[in-house]
Amino acid sequence: MLVLGIESSCDETAAAVVETDAIVGRAGRVLSDVVHSQVAVHAPFGGVVPELASRDHMRNIRPVVAAALDRAGVPLEQLDGIGVTCRPGLSGALMVGVQMAAGLGWAANKRVVGVDHLVGHLLAAFCQYPDVGCPAPPEYPFVALIASGGHTALYRVDAPFPEQIVELGATRDDAAGEAYDKTAKLLGLGYPGGPIIDRLAAEGDGDGVELSRPMASRDSLEFSFSGLKTNVARWVETNGLPGNDRVLRDLCAAFQRRVVDALVSKAIRATRRQGLRTLVLGGGVAANRALRAQASAAGERHGLRVVVPAFKCCTDNAAMIAYAGSQRLGAGEDDTGRLAISPRTVLPRMTRKGKGPRREA
Ligand code: KG4
Ligand code: ZN
């Protein structure tokens, strides 16, 4: 099955063609993967400006989709369907990708299915690239940690469909990537903050600076990162803004250690509590080298398989959307004529007592 994926939920305009054999659990072969990043557009503002994002998607969606089909060597007529991110995300941004998918589907008479961006991240580990090493795909069921700029949560994934995915715990305030971005802004480091802090932290000593631990309750599967960011702000108030020196690297290392410790310990706890043996990482923060290394080491200690997708499949891309779309198309689904966008995900949450999923109203 040949599927075109389109992604425009935030600040990346992306399109990809993925080939799958329509059997649940099998990997998808990425034939092309085109990402146009809007980082330069938003960097002067220190964060994503929704109106500018929509306009930039408008400018780039057509060449990006054309390049994806061209690089895959797959003409539109050969596709079996189109998968497009329809939630969650910025409404004006989502609309650009969804309209493109709907237009192409109409013109070429192809089925179109909407994809939840978070399901895309959850299934990114199934994407196999020809040019980079990729782990063997995980086996269902598994626990997944998604840590991105907009979301940070743990999920139990029984199958590649939204109805069979349950959120086990999420952040109460900032997402992990948001904490990285806000902290980097506070330290005058630029945007996006994750890769910058990742690089500086690798040269620092996490014991060099004392910061609070995010999330008080060790037992819960919820996260909290806003206190940590406030702690960095207090540290700067007291000690002044560090220059490009040892202290800056130590501060970044201390911040990163707190974030990574919280993510890894809760992800391992969730996997063990579910009685499962596989933990999958996803989302932009899963590109973090310390998180990848620490999660793999903790997995080994606890006898768990930790599946970390290729770097380029962690941050926003359309290959994961094409793959997630292929699973819905393979199940015979079709959203043609009733594609709706939403700023929110519809993935259900576990009830407080852990008794089973509850759907959001
Ligand atoms: O998944 P993603 O590309 O977009 C969203 O869906 O939000 O994630 C972007 C987030 C940003 O907050 C960025 O700072 C963070 O991922 N990020 C990282 C790294 N690379 C990207 N955070 C920590 N370390 C990294 N190496
Ligand atoms: Zn994302």
Side-chain angles (χ1 to χ4, degrees), residues 11-13 35-42 56 60:
D11 59 346
E12 257 95 31
T13 317
V35 181
H36 170 83
S37 168
Q38 300 181 354
V39 160
V41 173
H42 303 293
D56 204 64
N60 292 295

Side-chain angles (χ1 to χ4, degrees), residues 14 56 81-82 100 106 123 168 178 180 216 230 280 290 296 320 345 358:
D56 204 64
I82 301 170
M100 183 65 169
W106 187 43
L123 302 182
L168 303 171
E178 192 180 356
Y180 268 98
T230 308
V280 174
S296 300
M320 65 185 194
T345 180
R358 144 174 81 75

Side-chain angles (χ1 to χ4, degrees), residues 154 172 215 217-223 266 269 273:
L154 289 157
R172 289 183 187 167
M215 197 67 235
S217 162
R218 282 176 52 84
D219 219 36
S220 112
L221 294 179
E222 290 183 326
F223 301 94
K266 303 224 168 192
R269 185 170 310 136
R273 243 183 229 177

Side-chain angles (χ1 to χ4, degrees), residues 7 9-10 117-118 121 146 148-151 283-284 314-317 320:
E7 157 65 40
S9 64
C10 190
H117 182 81
L118 297 177
H121 277 306
I146 299 303
S148 73
H151 298 87
C314 290
T315 46
D316 284 352
N317 66 86
M320 65 185 194

